[in-house]
Amino acid sequence: MESAEQKSYWNAAGQAGAIFGFIIFLISMIGSYSMIHAEPTGSFFSFYYIAAAIGCLVGIFGGVLGVKFYINEHGPELKIGKGAVIGLFTGLFMALVSVVLSLIWPMIDGSYLENFQNAMIANIEANDMIPDAQKEEAIDGMYAQMQNYFSPGNILQMLGMSAIMYGLLNVISGLLAAKFMGTPPEEEL
Amino acid sequence: MESRTTQHASDAPAYRSHSGRNMRHPLLLFAALPIALFFVTVAWSPPFMLGSFVEWLTSWQKELFSFACHQDTSRSFILNGVPLAVCTRCTGIYSGFFISLATFSVFSPFVKSRNHYIIRIFIIMSIVLVSDGFANLFDIWQTSNVTRSFIGLVWGISVGTVLVDALTIPRKHH
């Protein structure tokens, strides 16, 4: 019989990460395009930001799916700690897949970045909370950020931020999934 | 009999101090608590680390939580002219999550003795949180920032309690 140490979780984490990475990329794209095609409101409460929050909420279930795949592959016996590790790696794969897709998309839709940048700038210009003197500074900062979209620094930042967020959140969901979907390993009896 | 005892001890591997008092699951102390502390610290940090609203707009704290929160400034607590990194509801969630983990990891017998209610409370609070969120989103009703943060706080506490429950109460072997 396969011992707990021999059971690999890479397949489960990789599959769940790829599926949820694609889903959160899709949700963020829906948010981005809805912002591009909407009138600037000046509020941060646009569908773009709501889509980010929805993407995160959905993304938490990546760890659960990772554990589910592991159980389908190897049976329900797993330690809670292994559930946490599966969740962590699922989150890291999700971050990787969603960032790679975000980098590929502007090559498919050549006007995406420019349209998105214009929508963001229009939204800042319409924002009443930012004093006029600071608006220019904020727009310059945003413009510089978009110009450096493909720079190694920006890619690393996107990857790091999403890895931290999705990785850590999925540690929690993975260990909860192991608790409620798994059973203690036989060899510990 | 021997194996049954071993199963429970190994599934929830509580540390045992010299006095024989059960300490917490290592995942609680070395994973869940640090993660919760990290999130709550970063969420509250902008007003104490940044000088202006424009700095906040391009800060790493805002960037980090942009994956998880709409960060609408009209729905965020603002201190010294700088908003927190997350909205009021998320501020409540992260704060409640950390408070409950920190509290109930010390007082886990409280959770163990009431674990029948914990999942029910979590489900009820989830329904309240989602209902209020969607009602605000679709303008069915508008709750104040304080109410939103309170609902988030209670939900965060219930999530933390579920987590302590998960890590301290041994699973049944089917």
Side-chain angles (χ1 to χ4, degrees):
Chain A
M1 191 180 168
E2 249 182 328
S3 74
E5 283 70 26
Q6 287 171 327
K7 292 175 183 173
S8 168
Y9 46 75
W10 292 106
N11 267 346
Q15 286 173 33
I19 291 170
F20 271 84
F22 180 72
I23 291 173
I24 55 175
F25 164 74
L26 208 62
I27 293 172
S28 81
M29 278 297 117
I30 293 170
S32 301
Y33 277 101
S34 69
M35 185 169 174
I36 287 170
H37 295 296
E39 287 295 313
T41 59
S43 167
F44 287 95
F45 201 54
S46 64
F47 189 76
Y48 172 69
Y49 293 98
I50 297 167
I54 292 172
C56 180
L57 277 177
V58 172
I60 289 173
F61 291 94
V64 178
L65 187 71
V67 169
K68 177 71 182 157
F69 282 161
Y70 178 87
I71 288 173
N72 287 348
E73 195 176 344
H74 300 293
E77 292 178 354
L78 82 160
K79 291 180 179 175
I80 287 179
K82 190 166 230 174
V85 175
I86 293 170
L88 173 68
F89 284 110
T90 303
L92 297 182
F93 279 122
M94 277 166 59
L96 187 66
V97 169
S98 63
V99 168
V100 168
L101 289 174
S102 306
L103 292 170
I104 291 172
W105 188 253
M107 297 173 195
I108 296 169
D109 178 356
S111 59
Y112 167 73
L113 274 184
E114 194 184 344
N115 291 339
F116 184 66
Q117 176 185 286
N118 291 340
M120 293 285 274
I121 289 173
N123 217 31
I124 288 184
E125 281 172 343
N127 192 318
D128 297 332
M129 207 181 147
I130 311 174
D132 285 339
Q134 294 186 347
K135 270 183 188 169
E136 283 302 313
E137 199 183 332
I139 290 169
D140 287 347
M142 192 153 288
Y143 184 75
Q145 202 173 11
M146 297 305 279
Q147 292 304 304
N148 295 326
Y149 189 75
F150 291 106
S151 70
N154 189 53
I155 293 170
L156 278 177
Q157 187 185 339
M158 284 199 294
L159 202 56
M161 294 291 185
S162 53
I164 290 171
M165 188 51 82
Y166 291 121
L168 295 186
L169 287 178
N170 279 295
V171 166
I172 308 282
S173 68
L175 68 86
L176 283 175
K179 160 77 180 180
F180 293 109
M181 291 157 64
T183 56
E186 195 73 49
E187 64 225 45
E188 289 183 7
L189 293 174
Chain B
M1 196 64 185
E2 175 67 26
S3 65
R4 198 44 82 184
T5 316
T6 317
Q7 174 210 334
H8 280 205
S10 58
D11 186 38
Y15 289 149
R16 201 171 278 278
S17 68
H18 293 300
S19 62
R21 187 169 64 88
N22 270 340
M23 294 182 72
R24 303 303 144 242
H25 194 293
L27 270 173
L28 188 58
L29 292 178
F30 302 117
L33 257 174
I35 289 172
L37 180 62
F38 171 77
F39 280 135
V40 79
T41 307
V42 177
W44 280 88
S45 66
F48 305 100
M49 292 174 70
L50 307 172
S52 71
F53 184 74
V54 174
E55 269 186 61
W56 176 83
L57 271 177
T58 51
S59 66
W60 65 269
Q61 292 96 329
K62 180 184 182 295
E63 184 71 24
L64 179 67
F65 281 104
S66 67
F67 293 96
C69 177
H70 57 70
Q71 299 173 309
D72 182 12
T73 46
S74 68
R75 297 179 184 218
S76 302
F77 291 125
I78 297 176
L79 302 173
N80 305 323
V82 181
L84 268 61
V86 289
C87 70
T88 50
R89 196 185 310 275
C90 293
T91 303
I93 291 172
Y94 290 117
S95 305
F97 184 59
F98 175 69
I99 289 168
S100 73
L101 279 185
T103 307
F104 294 126
S105 61
V106 176
F107 300 107
S108 70
F110 175 86
V111 174
K112 286 179 183 175
S113 63
R114 288 162 179 79
N115 84 315
H116 292 300
Y117 301 107
I118 284 168
I119 299 290
R120 289 175 206 173
I121 292 171
F122 168 70
I123 292 169
I124 291 168
M125 280 317 300
S126 299
I127 293 168
V128 172
L129 184 95
V130 172
S131 307
D132 186 58
F134 276 102
N136 277 264
L137 180 62
F138 295 114
D139 224 3
I140 299 167
W141 70 71
Q142 288 297 327
T143 37
S144 68
N145 279 342
V146 174
T147 311
R148 286 185 201 125
S149 68
F150 180 75
I151 292 172
L153 184 81
V154 179
W155 189 76
I157 289 172
S158 76
V159 175
T161 320
V162 168
L163 196 61
V164 173
D165 173 290
L167 290 176
T168 54
I169 298 180
R171 292 173 293 174
K172 290 191 180 90
H173 196 282
H174 301 302

